[in-house]
Amino acid sequence: MNRRRYVEELKKQSEIVWDIIVIGGGATGLGVAQDGASRGYKTLLLEQSDFAKATSSRSTKLVHGGVRYLAQGDLLLVMEALHERGLMLKNAPHLTFNLEFIIPVYTLWDAVMYTVGLKFYDLLAGRLSMGKSYFINRNKTLSRLPLLKPKGLKGGVVYHDGQFDDSRMAIALAQSCAEKGGTVLNYFKVTDLLKDANGKINGVRALNIASGEEFILKANLVINATGVFADEVARMDNPESKATIRPSQGVHIVLDKSFLKSDSAIMIPKTTDGRVLFAIPWYNEVVIGTTDTPLDTISLEPVALESEINFILQTAEGYFVKPPHREDILCVFAGLRPLAADPDNPASTKEVSRRHKITLSRSGLLTIIGGKWTTYRRMAEETIDRAIKEGFLKRAICITSDLKLTTLTTSNTSDRLHIYGDNSIEIKKMITENSGLGIPVDPRLPYTRAEILWICRNEMPLNVEDILARRTRSLFLNARASAEIAPEVADLMATEFGYDQKWKSEQIESYNRLVKNYI
Ligand SMILES: Cc1cc2nc3c(=O)[nH]c(=O)nc-3n(C[C@H](O)[C@H](O)[C@H](O)COP(=O)(O)OP(=O)(O)OC[C@H]3O[C@@H](n4cnc5c(N)ncnc54)[C@H](O)[C@@H]3O)c2cc1C
């Protein structure tokens, strides 16, 4: 991926009519763009900030069928997600992992209910099952989860689901789209939709946030894949359109792995207020969440509420012998899920089915909303199929079920650079040629100077935050440590791209401001 080249080409080919312009560079938009480009359509994706800046870098990091939806009886949704889980593990083996989960049970009824329920979960996964589920007694549960409070514990139910790195998956999708001939641009905000004499959408007006230049871009089809921001784009189409989305915030905290002391994750199916809570080992730390708090405002940078942090800490205290305290938190992050607002009564909300929804406006804006990270591929396939059915695109077959997101000649998952797929070979070569590049930038974080330079050259980061929050996960793994390495990352970027001292100072200042939301 090369942003400078893409922008130059956009200027040179100003008359070009794209087959598809996708607005939004989260899981949904990137999935749609990858599908479109891989079917041979001339595809352009525009993201107003960085890829996965919004919800798509703030998930629980699960590739899952959704045990919760099974309890709600939504079998079709679970089957569909389990199938997609299998495909995601097959096509992105460098970024997805098989993880063992244990549900601690405190009554015999729960033991029976969860064992039977999870057997059914396995069954629904069919040949894409990730491992059998089974009951383990109290002693075995405590040997696998040594920090779980033993009082009243009857045993545990073991099952398997997938885990992944959400923002690196987003970058992998962007790369895959680019490899198939698509153009993906971060920091390109769509500010208006263009229409022909018949009122049909035929392009977008977009602003290159990095340079302030405006672009008029023509397309046969414009797809709105902007998640919780979808109403804003709908209003560009029809200023009278009513609000359909109300955001609900989900918060996670990150702690040192010593608070879990296990390679298994814990799933608490019902907290005191009826939510599901996970404690999941992730890289070398543990992620605990999430909450579900309806909000009135939508933001690219949502901030956790005190009440949400306290809720997670109190719930953890109920289950762990070594309860975490406020000062133990390495990072707290918040993401927004779209709830369906009642257009006639904006104060009321109901949970949108976790299934996605595809709609077509009178002027031809195709909108895809909802779903989950796990089902991005299927959502994309259905969106492009719908566009074909509506006559926007010539028929072409979807190939993403078998489209690998990386080549992986060795699969040594214990090698930390495994997450780069075969690109790790280039990173290792850089370290062999200059051993200084192999030293981690900070002992609390795993990332080396070689990785940061490789990312600068290949993954289109524009600022320090892009590298620390989404190309590496420094911000999410240890927010304070990430702030301490911001000056060095700014230095490396400035040398690589030829930026001056002023740029570096502004970057460090703006990153320090951002980090306050995560500590
Ligand atoms: C707390 C939480 C935990 C979750 N955990 C999981 C999980 O473990 N597993 C799972 O499968 N799913 C999970 N999900 C669901 C999953 O994260 C979302 O379904 C998915 O990330 C949504 O992606 P999206 O692309 O639709 O939205 P977003 O990621 O929000 O992307 C929309 C993008 O559109 C861009 N945009 C908006 N307006 C414009 C414009 N005018 N011009 C250009 N770009 C624009 C935004 O900047 C943004 O980047 C979770 C969700 C939440 C909230």
Side-chain angles (χ1 to χ4, degrees), residues 249 251-253 271-273 275 277 288-291 293 304-318 323-327 329 332:
Q249 178 157 283
V251 162
H252 296 85
I253 63 169
T271 57
T272 47
D273 64 350
R275 295 172 192 169
L277 199 93
I288 308 187
T290 176
T291 55
T293 315
L305 304 176
E306 277 301 312
S307 55
E308 295 178 292
I309 300 172
N310 289 336
F311 169 78
I312 297 174
L313 287 174
Q314 276 159 17
T315 306
E317 194 178 340
H325 298 109
R326 190 62 200 238
E327 59 275 17
I329 296 177
V332 50

Side-chain angles (χ1 to χ4, degrees), residues 22-30 46-64 164 166 188-191 225-230 232-233 236 248-252 290-291 300 334-338 354 368-375 379:
V22 182
I23 315 174
T28 309
L30 288 163
L46 303 172
E47 162 56 49
Q48 65 176 347
S49 177
D50 189 23
F51 305 119
K53 161 75 181 181
T55 307
S56 297
S57 58
R58 300 154 188 271
S59 78
T60 313
K61 286 80 171 106
L62 297 180
V63 190
H64 63 158
F164 77 130
D166 47 13
F188 245 83
K189 183 180 169 77
V190 170
T191 54
T226 53
V228 286
F229 303 91
E232 284 177 15
V233 176
M236 294 175 196
S248 173
Q249 178 157 283
V251 162
H252 296 85
T290 176
T291 55
L300 257 182
L336 301 179
R337 53 175 80 81
R354 291 291 155 104
I368 163 84
I369 178 122
K372 43 188 188 166
W373 238 122
T374 310
T375 53
M379 291 161 63

